[in-house]
Amino acid sequence: MTNPTSAIGIFGGTFDPVHYGHLRAALEAMEMLQLQDFRLLPAGMPPHRASTFASADHRLAMLKLALSSCPELKVDDREVRRAGSSFMVDTLAEIRREESDAPILMMIGQDAANVLDQWHEWQRLFDLAHLVIMRRPESKHIYSGALFEQVQPRIVDDPVQLRHSPSGLILPLEVTQLSISSTEIRRQIRAGLSPRFLLPDTVIDYITEHGLY
Ligand code: ATP
Ligand code: MG
């Protein structure tokens, strides 16, 4: 069995901007999975989107502000520091090289899990990490074709099982359902409405100061 304290949680996203849906899910996952090392990892230039709205540096700055009062949640800025686009599979491979055979738990929301087969070399993800799928309002689990065949046999329901191997399993995790999205926050800002109470005030102040969105 692998050392229970050595497991690593990685929660990737564009965080454009980060909001309480991300933050609450991250905190609950960290606690429920008893992870001593939990990192939010902002995407540099996400390959699956045309571009982000705010630059990588701004998204990283907002994430750091949001987490400043919660030192247990850390930021992994490796994709932002690297130029060009980064695929999650390459990022995980890099983390795997650093961590040898520690369990790596990659967190994703249900909406992202449903389209996992659109990610670059998605089948390799299971060789590198376990997947923790967090429920998200308005998204049911719908896995089609090859994705269903990959997902189904890997599903486990006890977090302890993720400690016995470095990668390859899938754990669905119930987190508090907060119907908040960055898309909706950006829309409100464009419309001149206040996004207050959907994301930290410090992040809202940063957005205002830099004229983002
Ligand atoms: P956008 O609307 O720009 O797509 P988003 O709110 O979906 O932004 P992302 O940065 O795309 O945020 O999400 C990063 C990760 O966090 C994804 O795995 C996504 O499923 C998950 N996530 C986002 N919002 C929530 C939420 N409210 N509850 C649970 N998971 C969430
Ligand atoms: Mg999204």
Side-chain angles (χ1 to χ4, degrees):
M1 188 176 135
T2 31
N3 176 1
T5 58
S6 69
I8 296 145
I10 302 287
F11 185 175
T14 44
F15 305 120
D16 195 10
V18 62
H19 54 67
Y20 285 131
H22 302 126
L23 296 168
R24 187 65 215 168
L27 183 66
E28 289 184 16
M30 181 192 76
E31 290 185 334
M32 285 192 277
L33 303 170
Q34 299 185 343
L35 294 166
Q36 326 270 310
D37 183 346
F38 193 103
R39 313 173 192 167
L40 285 89
L41 193 154
M45 257 313 225
H48 60 282
R49 301 187 184 213
S51 74
T52 55
F53 295 86
S55 69
D57 288 339
H58 282 317
R59 291 181 290 106
L60 176 63
M62 291 188 282
L63 192 55
K64 285 184 173 168
L65 280 173
L67 297 178
S68 62
S69 61
C70 185
E72 309 93 281
L73 296 174
K74 300 183 188 72
V75 178
D76 189 324
D77 64 359
R78 73 182 68 223
E79 285 199 8
V80 170
R81 279 187 277 108
R82 192 189 301 140
S85 76
S86 19
F87 294 109
M88 185 46 100
V89 69
D90 298 327
T91 301
L92 284 180
E94 193 177 303
I95 297 172
R96 171 55 69 207
R97 283 194 293 277
E98 296 165 2
E99 306 296 339
S100 61
D101 64 352
I104 297 176
L105 281 55
M106 180 177 91
M107 320 287 141
I108 58 172
Q110 187 68 61
D111 58 313
N114 289 343
V115 294
L116 195 71
D117 53 351
Q118 292 169 22
W119 292 24
H120 182 65
E121 295 185 25
W122 65 275
Q123 316 216 13
R124 261 186 72 212
L125 295 169
F126 301 109
D127 299 332
L128 296 165
H130 296 304
L131 217 64
V132 176
I133 302 179
M134 302 173 302
R135 250 185 86 194
R136 190 172 178 183
E138 280 105 49
S139 73
K140 297 200 165 52
H141 58 98
I142 19 166
Y143 307 116
S144 47
L147 184 56
F148 180 82
E149 269 150 43
Q150 278 286 339
V151 167
Q152 209 53 34
R154 297 179 185 277
I155 293 181
V156 296
D157 57 10
D158 184 352
V160 169
Q161 290 174 270
L162 306 184
R163 301 301 182 122
H164 299 279
S165 61
S167 63
L169 300 174
I170 299 179
L171 178 79
L173 197 70
E174 281 293 326
V175 294
T176 300
Q177 302 281 289
L178 291 173
S179 185
I180 304 173
S181 74
S182 303
T183 299
E184 183 58 18
I185 290 170
R186 293 192 300 267
R187 194 195 61 74
Q188 289 171 344
I189 293 169
R190 272 199 306 277
L193 301 169
S194 173
R196 203 149 179 219
F197 309 130
L198 297 176
L199 68 172
D201 287 343
T202 48
V203 177
I204 298 177
D205 291 345
Y206 185 96
I207 291 171
T208 309
E209 188 184 329
H210 294 271
L212 305 182
Y213 309 114

